[in-house]
Amino acid sequence: MSDTTAHEEPELIQLLTPEGELTGHPDYPLDISAEEIRALYRDLVLVRRVDSEAVSLQRQGELGLWASLLGQEAAQIGSGRALGERDMAFPSYREHGVAWCRGIAPKELLGMFRGVTNGGWDPHEHGFHLYTIVIGSQALHATGYAMGVQRDGAVGEDGTAVISYFGDGATSQGDTNEAFNFASVNNAPVVFFCQNNQWAISESTERQSRVPIYKRAAGFGFPGVRVDGNDVLACLAVTRAALNNAREGNGPTLVEAFTYRMGAHTTNDDPSRYRASAELDEWKAKDPILRVRRYLENNGLADDAFFASVDTEAEAIGEQVRTECRALPDPEPLDIFHEVYAEPNVQIDRQRSEFAEYLASFEGVGAEGGR
Amino acid sequence: MGTNLTIGKAINAGLRASMEHDPKVLVMGEDVGKLGGVFRVTDGLYKDFGADRVIDTPLAESGIVGTAIGMAMRGYRPVVEIQFDGFFFPAANQTFTQLAKMRRRSAGKLSMPIVMRIPYGGGIGAVEHHSESPEAYFTHTAGLRVVTVANPEDAYWMIQQAIRSDDPVIFLEPKRRYYEKAEVDTAAPIEEATPMGAARVARHGTDATLLAYGPMVKTALQAAEADTDHSIEVVDLRSLSPVDYPTIVESVKRTGRLVIAHEAPLSGGPGGEIAARVTEECFYHLESPVIRVAAFDTPYPQSRLEEHYLPDLDRVLDGVDRAFAY
């Protein structure tokens, strides 16, 4: 089988090198102040801190599970900060950095992984849909939402763009490919933001795609671009351009953020079973936070006091996350019957009252019901 | 003589025995290769049988089942793993419109000897779509056989029987019981194993029959032990489609009462169908209506509530009490 495409070295859009040199890119001019770059640095450090705290909380039994974003901070903060207030994001389940940008409090995310809620935040209030577990489903939701935006005539500079997040594994799903096609034929204002973190649990990207993922867009009839997913400035510039393009009625773009899952798939996973540690070392040299720090330091745009203040803030957030997580109340048993239907439902009502009666039968027998 | 095995390890050993017995048996699914599956049920098979027989598939359930159908047409016997119950649904079209109907559609010219292994049920503190009990969708679909296991012995033999079956078999694995251990005589001939379609009396009793399957069998046995006022017979259903009615009816005619427990939601669950049939066949023997103890007709709740959602020992005993209240 001829396979020339897979062997070409694809262009990687990069604005900031791992060494911290700001090279820029002719196709993606980025007008950004030192203050804004410092703000991005702060975002990166704080979401990493929230994430590491969540991993610890899972280890301590406070969370049932956690899907770490370690290594993917730049892809999420860069794209998340590119979003406008009216834009709508459809995440997978690892987008804690995007959630941060959309004003979702970390405790909301923790609640889901602790098992006290299945989501719960208001997607409309934040322009951030609920986490979606079944891989790729949300790509179609984003596309449908974008088709609604089109029908509302919410186009132009003040219009709404939609972004769908998913991983390299999801590009194998029918839903994702159907979303590409629906978006294309409808010219829908949606950006497909694929974080290619190289691993779908134990399966490398080679098991998912024979061609670089961004190149698939061409077959569906819209542009695809590969961006250095560990370069927050490149992710910001490329996503902003794609969102603006969508907003102005020019249809979808596939952005492949080339990054790396530095941690496990989730806290239940042990990556040492399927990948070499040398690979992790290679990616550590491309760390998304380190390069921003180097840039700020090398150019005298931030002093020690700034870095120290961010670290202090990070520690405070870690503490806050810990405290808030432990304080999350367990739901009441009858919560099971809430929000199943919009309208009264006799079947649910009957089961709720039977269960309430059953629970009441244990009163006075002790909390464990005599077990 | 036997080997001490967990349910998970027994399925692994059964898969291995099947692959050694028949070179046409293949394993395919997400992470089943080098990782050995997220529950390690396919552990070691990739190393010993290679990538041609243990296939790490792209992350696409419809693709997994659809290509397994093609491989079956080509003479293979694919054992596909769907990583979690809630991930089955993308494969629903291939399963319901194609896999289940191929024999009938081809007037018997095509067989679909495919086994779909699905870890199912709750109780592991997981996030959404990792704890569901979708068995009723399968039992409602003609053309599929549906079985589940409750102990290592059945796990070891039934996976092999399922693989040898020329019908598509949905093989439901009770994930919260994967680590339950028992002795299994792996050297016994497969012909001596209880047939996959048979129900089994797991505990003899005289006052009521408690019917359960998969993860609930252990709970049912505990309930039977706990009820010192009555002699409770426990029947492990094992096959959800077809149902072994003779075994159930024989038991109920002796005991006069039937309580059915399952993790699947109450309405439209397997218990309703069995209750209707038993009522028809045992009407004059019944001392009470058939009682069902099941999960509620709500979405599977966040994990902090699952102990309330899943029928536990107390809920099963409450069901038994309701039967004796008549």
Side-chain angles (χ1 to χ4, degrees), chain A residues 26 38 45 62 67 90 118 166 171 180 215 233 257 280 301 307 318 349-350 355 370:
Chain A
R38 283 193 297 269
V45 171
E62 296 290 340
F90 287 79
N118 277 339
F166 48 85
T171 64
F180 290 170
K215 287 200 171 177
L233 300 183
L280 178 59
L301 299 173
F307 293 115
D349 290 348
R350 177 182 168 153
F355 188 52

Side-chain angles (χ1 to χ4, degrees), chain A residues 88-91 129 136-151 160-166 174-193 220 222 246 251-254:
Chain A
M88 182 72 186
F90 287 79
H129 188 50
S137 308
Q138 74 280 7
L140 280 167
H141 309 159
T143 302
Y145 191 94
M147 289 162 65
V149 167
Q150 269 181 316
R151 278 149 187 78
T160 291
V162 183
I163 189 166
S164 172
Y165 288 88
F166 48 85
D175 278 7
T176 307
N177 289 278
E178 290 168 24
F180 290 170
N181 200 39
F182 272 67
S184 181
V185 299
N186 287 291
N187 204 41
V190 59
V191 174
F192 296 109
F193 193 91
F220 287 97
F222 57 89
T253 303
L254 171 60

Side-chain angles (χ1 to χ4, degrees), chain A residues 61-65 112-118 131 133-135 169-170 172-174 200-203 207-208 268-270 273-274 330-333 335-337 340-341 347-348 351 355 358-359 362 368-371, chain B residues 29-36 38 40 43 55-62 83 86-87 90 125-130 266-267 295-309 312-316 318:
Chain A
E62 296 290 340
L63 299 178
L65 183 81
M112 177 179 160
F113 288 96
R114 187 176 168 88
V116 301
T117 163
N118 277 339
Y131 276 4
I133 305 268
V134 178
I135 305 296
S172 295
Q173 287 283 6
I201 309 189
S202 74
E203 299 188 23
R207 293 297 315 163
Q208 311 294 337
N268 280 346
D269 176 40
D270 172 13
R273 288 178 68 103
Y274 53 80
D330 275 356
E332 292 298 321
D335 178 87
I336 288 171
F337 302 95
V340 181
Y341 296 97
Q347 201 164 304
I348 294 285
Q351 288 187 9
F355 188 52
Y358 167 81
L359 289 174
F362 290 105
E368 289 303 303
R371 239 172 282 167
Chain B
E30 297 157 7
D31 304 295
V32 298
K34 216 175 261 183
L35 183 67
V38 296
R40 308 287 182 264
D43 198 25
I55 305 168
D56 264 334
T57 65
L59 211 160
E61 291 77 12
S62 180
Q83 198 160 71
F87 305 171
V127 292
E128 264 191 306
H129 313 302
H130 288 67
L266 181 79
S267 301
F296 304 113
D297 296 341
T298 68
Y300 197 91
Q302 55 273 46
S303 61
R304 291 275 168 151
L305 288 176
E306 68 182 343
E307 62 173 307
H308 293 290
Y309 176 82
D312 63 358
L313 181 58
D314 285 330
R315 290 252 302 276
V316 173
D318 180 65

